[in-house]
Amino acid sequence: MYTKSHISYFGKVVTICFLILSSLGCSKQAAQISTPTFAENAPLADFILGEWHSIKAEDASGEITDAQFEIIFETKSEVDFIVIYLEGGADGDTFTYSFITSNSIFVDNKRILGGETWLLERKDGKLIVTRTVDKKTMIIELERGRLK
């Protein structure tokens, strides 16, 4: 039969084990995500792969938008497009895409009749996406990584 001292001792051992195990699983330092590097002459289809976040977005007239964007080229045929609104909230979806030319893709956005076309440009390690939807153009300048 267990006595009070045995139960008390068992409780202390369990508590100490829990504290040790939980401290091993917690780190104050965030995991470092490696940023892929590409040769200057790497094909655009390879260069775009990975996570990108907007540093500037404007319409064709030069008016800057309040929204921010995350674009994640998961594979050579699938892209996540996420809009983050300044006042809060986000909207996004995953689409398939295919290259039309060496620097433009067709994005099969089911929300838009006929999809959309993106012109892609590599500039100083950044990605410039000129997105045309329903005869409206938006230019999004992106750098690697997620929004902080």
Side-chain angles (χ1 to χ4, degrees):
M1 186 121 216
Y2 293 109
T3 63
K4 277 187 171 180
S5 63
H6 284 97
I7 294 172
S8 175
Y9 177 74
F10 180 73
K12 288 179 184 177
V13 170
V14 169
T15 303
I16 290 170
C17 288
F18 174 76
L19 291 173
I20 290 170
L21 291 174
S22 65
S23 69
L24 293 174
C26 298
S27 173
K28 292 184 181 187
Q29 183 178 3
Q32 296 293 321
I33 298 173
S34 62
T35 302
T37 55
F38 294 93
E40 200 56 40
N41 60 351
L44 194 57
D46 293 332
F47 174 76
I48 64 174
L49 293 176
E51 300 174 343
W52 298 87
H53 71 273
S54 64
I55 53 176
K56 182 179 172 186
E58 60 187 26
D59 64 19
S61 67
E63 187 173 328
I64 296 177
T65 180
D66 290 339
Q68 293 183 309
F69 301 89
E70 281 189 349
I71 299 176
I72 305 165
F73 289 92
E74 294 182 1
T75 66
K76 289 187 177 183
S77 65
E78 194 170 75
V79 61
D80 292 339
F81 184 75
I82 303 159
V83 182
I84 299 143
Y85 300 102
L86 185 64
E87 58 275 355
D91 184 28
D93 215 336
T94 301
F95 307 108
T96 58
Y97 72 93
S98 57
F99 274 84
I100 302 168
T101 66
S102 62
N103 66 341
S104 65
I105 60 175
F106 170 76
V107 178
D108 192 15
N109 183 344
K110 302 291 186 198
R111 295 181 183 183
I112 300 169
L113 184 63
E116 54 186 289
T117 303
W118 295 4
L119 179 65
L120 307 174
E121 179 186 352
R122 175 185 2 204
K123 184 177 180 183
D124 299 326
K126 295 180 176 73
L127 178 64
I128 312 297
V129 174
T130 304
R131 181 176 177 237
T132 304
V133 179
D134 294 331
K135 298 182 183 177
K136 295 178 185 171
T137 300
M138 175 174 281
I139 302 161
I140 307 169
E141 185 175 345
L142 304 134
E143 61 184 17
R144 285 204 180 274
R146 289 200 169 220
L147 287 170
K148 296 174 175 106

